[in-house]
Amino acid sequence: MYTTTSNDGTTIAYDRTGDGPPVILVDGALCHRAFGPAAPLAKQLADRYTVYTYDRRGRGDSTDTPPYAVEREIEDIEALIKEAGGSAFLYGISSGAALAIEAANRGIGVTRLATYEAPYLVDETAPPEPADYRERLEANIAAGKRSDAVRLFMKLVGTPGFAVVMMRMMPVWKKLKAVAHTLPYDHEILKVGRHRRPLPADRWTSVTMPTLVMAGGKSPDWMRNAQTSLADVLPNAEYRTLEGQTHLLKPEAVAPVLKGFFTSSP
């Protein structure tokens, strides 16, 4: 494990593996270096790249500094890019994809950007988000009801009730509860695109680097609609469907695509 210090003094823990051009992987909600898809994907990419996986603030071995702001998480990525030599490829999944887009928009040294299923809601095919979701989420966290916060999030993302019941009896639930307090962070990052309206055409005008926007072929229509909409509003983006994949993306399915994209000519 390595550490770097973000602009506000927060310690960001990260791992580094492989050799080659640097790639930074940005996790989605509830995930970190020791829990989630980043570490298996890093192994798939390490034959060609120096891969950085890190604990987003408030997770794993990283510290946290309130109050939260999306800008602080962008500065965390900027600190990692400095560790990588001043520029890097960036890949984000789920809410981590939305964070990666915001980071790329700030001009912090992202030379290529890849995203997978940023969960924006862009039209009426998307399930509506309850108006009181954020309020209830923060109330549960403030009351120390982390299980309730995780359960509320699982309901929001469509996890079947029986699956949540099973998860609560498994060791994984303890890991989810440990980072439940960061769920409002992900909601804050995504709020620009959670209204079942078209994405703003003028928000990410500085994302001019080559960009790959991906969705799974087995994901619901609303998710694919969101990704095609995202590709349309980003200045230099292409869209690709990964056939056979869902939001639970398999590392071995996306790794060859990332390798091809990151090594292709401008």
Side-chain angles (χ1 to χ4, degrees):
M1 183 186 80
Y2 302 88
T3 62
T4 188
T5 303
S6 195
N7 189 56
D8 67 349
T10 300
T11 298
I12 302 299
Y14 68 94
D15 288 331
R16 185 177 65 217
T17 185
D19 184 49
V23 177
I24 296 173
L25 308 183
V26 187
D27 276 319
L30 299 175
C31 296
H32 49 91
R33 288 179 304 134
F35 180 69
L41 178 57
K43 291 181 180 178
Q44 295 277 333
L45 299 175
D47 63 330
R48 193 173 298 179
Y49 306 99
T50 301
V51 188
Y52 292 76
T53 57
Y54 76 105
D55 293 335
R56 286 174 53 187
R57 60 176 50 213
R59 310 181 190 190
D61 293 309
S62 290
T63 61
D64 204 356
T65 306
Y68 178 78
V70 176
E71 182 65 32
R72 304 291 82 77
E73 287 223 65
I74 294 171
E75 290 169 353
D76 300 344
I77 295 174
E78 184 176 20
L80 289 167
I81 290 176
K82 289 179 179 177
E83 292 288 327
S87 64
F89 304 141
L90 197 60
Y91 166 70
I93 184 170
S94 195
S95 59
L99 175 56
I101 295 164
E102 299 294 344
N105 197 46
R106 301 300 173 90
I108 59 173
V110 179
T111 54
R112 281 182 176 260
L113 171 67
T115 68
Y116 186 80
E117 293 199 344
Y120 297 123
L121 310 178
V122 302
D123 57 32
E124 294 297 320
T125 66
E129 181 178 293
D132 63 347
Y133 168 75
R134 179 70 173 266
E135 179 181 355
R136 292 172 62 196
L137 182 66
E138 292 182 338
N140 283 329
I141 293 168
K145 299 178 179 179
R146 292 189 172 220
S147 278
D148 289 347
V150 174
R151 185 169 55 185
L152 183 65
F153 171 76
M154 291 296 181
K155 182 178 180 180
L156 177 74
V157 300
T159 306
F162 73 88
V164 175
V165 171
M166 294 297 295
M167 291 171 68
R168 294 186 70 181
M169 296 185 291
M170 300 169 66
V172 67
W173 198 255
K174 183 177 180 180
K175 295 179 180 179
L176 297 174
K177 288 197 303 179
V179 292
H181 62 287
T182 66
L183 286 170
Y185 301 178
D186 296 280
H187 190 265
E188 184 69 17
I189 292 164
L190 286 162
K191 71 177 184 180
V192 67
R194 295 285 293 181
H195 308 293
R196 296 206 295 174
R197 295 195 299 266
L199 293 171
D202 59 351
R203 181 178 178 89
W204 300 299
T205 56
S206 294
V207 185
T208 56
M209 69 290 296
T211 301
L212 176 63
V213 178
M214 296 173 284
K218 288 187 176 181
S219 291
D221 289 343
W222 69 263
M223 181 66 83
R224 290 197 301 276
N225 291 348
Q227 307 321 302
T228 56
S229 175
L230 177 62
D232 285 342
V233 300
L234 293 178
N236 191 16
E238 61 176 294
Y239 169 79
R240 189 175 307 180
T241 299
L242 301 189
E243 297 298 339
Q245 297 303 301
T246 67
H247 198 63
L248 299 177
L249 177 62
K250 295 179 180 179
E252 59 270 23
V254 71
V257 179
L258 291 175
K259 289 179 180 179
F261 173 65
F262 288 145
T263 57
S264 60
S265 299

